[in-house]
Amino acid sequence: MKYLEKKLFDKGFAKGSFVILSPEDLEELRTILKIMRQEEMESNLITAQESLYVLGKNKRLDQIIEKILLNGEIKKTLEKTSGKNYALHADCAARFSDPDDKGLYIHQDAVGETTFSFLVTDQKEGTTACIPGSHLLIPFKNVRIAEFLSFASSRLLRFTKFFLSPLKGLAGEYYFFFNRLFHGRITGNKKNTQISLLFNFYPVALPESKEMVEILKQKTLKLKDNYQNINSNYLKNLTSHEIYKKNIDIFNKSDERTPISLNLLSFFNFIKSPIFYFSALIKILILELIFWPIYVLRIVTKLKKKFI
């Protein structure tokens, strides 16, 4: 566990090694998700480019997800990254990366957010990709610079992917990563559709925890009737804004230490993890030097649209 903690802090992501589902459960999970996606696409509920919300739609699927998230190793790791009584966003999703997937540009997400990614299919080339150590670079909470960089474009992924580390693995394997990491989704595998389950977790120790109560509430409302149909009290409690609110009070009265995900904002990360800090910085500077003319071109295009 200490090794996993260190790896997560240094690189911003870590691959788990524990076997969670049997081959039979994995095959059943794949089948359920494929059928569900096909039905929703035929009903025009989602497009081929959209992720599939998974909770409350299939009783057996809820049971399998509960089995994954109740695994002892998963819970221990999440307690390290997000502290005790962490919360889960209710809009858990299955992401399908089809052969014609255009990818997703390099970006960052919220402070404190930890994603647990479970690979439903083999992903020998990976779909999610990142710049290891990039989560250590920005010491300011409300600053996200990734999407403003010259190379932050899905059109450039065919070139920038050589500077990125893909999260590769076989079906049944999984990753944790901090969402402050510069990350994106590389273009689709030309042979097969690749499927991942994505779960986003938040700590109760967030300075904006009261705002998170409302966010959690909105996430459950997004699921509409499906939320009430979730076939797992554990999953309902994990996504409940009311329970999260109670857990904030418990945390404020405790001596629980700040979790890893909230210890990333520091001016001294270059001392704590110099190899990954400077490796990420050098990669980003090289990419900026290569693609800065594109950034200038974007500015010129915007000015033309505004004044012409």
Side-chain angles (χ1 to χ4, degrees):
M1 183 60 68
K2 287 289 183 183
Y3 171 75
L4 191 65
E5 284 182 59
K6 177 63 176 168
K7 200 170 182 181
L8 264 168
F9 183 85
D10 287 343
K11 300 179 73 173
F13 68 92
K15 187 178 183 180
S17 58
F18 197 82
V19 177
I20 301 175
L21 295 182
S22 67
E24 294 76 20
D25 283 344
L26 261 177
E27 183 57 39
E28 186 178 8
L29 174 60
R30 273 192 294 271
T31 301
I32 292 171
L33 291 175
K34 288 177 181 178
I35 292 173
M36 188 182 293
R37 184 200 195 201
Q38 187 62 37
E39 289 176 347
E40 295 204 10
M41 287 174 61
E42 289 175 355
S43 301
N44 294 319
L45 296 174
I46 61 170
T47 66
Q49 290 73 42
E50 292 178 303
S51 295
L52 173 74
Y53 295 141
V54 293
L55 295 186
K57 295 180 176 179
N58 181 290
K59 289 185 178 181
R60 179 58 184 149
L61 178 57
D62 288 342
Q63 290 172 354
I64 294 173
I65 291 173
E66 181 185 64
K67 183 175 183 178
I68 294 171
L69 298 185
L70 273 175
N71 176 271
E73 291 301 312
I74 302 304
K75 291 183 70 176
K76 285 178 186 176
T77 304
L78 286 170
E79 285 182 3
K80 294 294 183 182
T81 64
S82 307
K84 296 178 181 178
N85 298 321
Y86 49 79
L88 170 67
H89 276 186
D91 56 351
C92 312
R95 184 188 65 200
F96 293 77
S97 181
D98 293 319
D100 61 349
D101 186 359
K102 300 281 192 296
L104 179 65
Y105 64 91
I106 300 299
H107 64 284
Q108 294 169 282
D109 294 309
V111 170
E113 184 178 4
T114 300
T115 291
F116 170 63
S117 176
F118 185 86
L119 309 186
V120 181
T121 58
D122 291 347
Q123 299 185 24
K124 296 179 181 179
E125 296 176 13
T127 50
T128 298
C130 63
I131 300 178
S134 54
H135 64 300
L136 301 170
L137 298 178
I138 313 300
F140 305 105
K141 182 176 59 177
N142 295 319
V143 177
R144 304 183 199 178
I145 68 165
E147 42 263 71
F148 298 105
L149 297 174
S150 62
F151 59 88
S153 167
S154 57
R155 294 179 182 178
L156 298 176
L157 283 171
R158 69 182 71 180
F159 307 110
T160 57
K161 68 179 182 181
F162 298 107
F163 291 82
L164 307 176
S165 295
L167 307 190
K168 303 177 183 179
L170 301 176
E173 296 182 329
Y174 55 92
Y175 281 88
F176 297 92
F177 65 89
F178 295 129
N179 289 53
R180 288 291 285 181
L181 196 66
F182 288 34
H183 65 284
R185 189 175 71 253
I186 54 181
T187 51
N189 181 297
K190 299 305 177 186
K191 296 179 181 178
N192 303 302
T193 293
Q194 299 178 101
I195 309 171
S196 303
L197 286 174
L198 300 174
F199 306 93
N200 297 321
F201 293 91
Y202 285 84
V204 291
L206 274 174
E208 303 84 359
S209 54
K210 291 183 179 178
E211 295 173 22
M212 182 54 63
V213 172
E214 182 58 29
I215 292 172
L216 286 168
K217 182 179 179 180
Q218 294 305 316
K219 295 289 183 182
T220 59
L221 291 174
K222 187 190 290 188
L223 298 189
K224 300 178 181 177
D225 292 340
N226 289 324
Y227 182 73
Q228 298 303 323
N229 295 332
I230 294 175
N231 186 37
S232 164
N233 288 330
Y234 175 71
L235 294 175
K236 279 187 176 180
N237 291 340
L238 204 57
T239 55
S240 168
H241 68 282
E242 294 172 342
I243 289 180
Y244 183 76
K245 188 175 182 180
K246 292 177 183 177
N247 288 334
I248 294 171
D249 296 330
I250 294 172
F251 174 80
N252 290 335
K253 295 174 183 177
S254 73
D255 56 357
E256 184 182 340
R257 70 184 183 89
T258 304
I260 302 172
S261 62
L262 294 177
N263 275 331
L264 302 176
L265 301 178
S266 170
F267 286 98
F268 302 103
N269 284 337
F270 70 95
I271 297 174
K272 298 176 185 177
S273 186
I275 293 174
F276 288 100
Y277 182 96
F278 287 108
S279 172
L281 183 61
I282 290 168
K283 281 185 180 180
I284 290 168
L285 289 175
I286 290 172
L287 285 167
E288 278 298 285
L289 285 171
I290 294 172
F291 294 109
W292 71 267
I294 292 175
Y295 185 74
V296 174
L297 184 61
R298 286 179 194 153
I299 294 175
V300 172
T301 302
K302 285 182 180 178
L303 289 173
K304 282 184 177 179
K305 288 180 179 179
K306 186 174 182 179
F307 296 107
I308 297 177

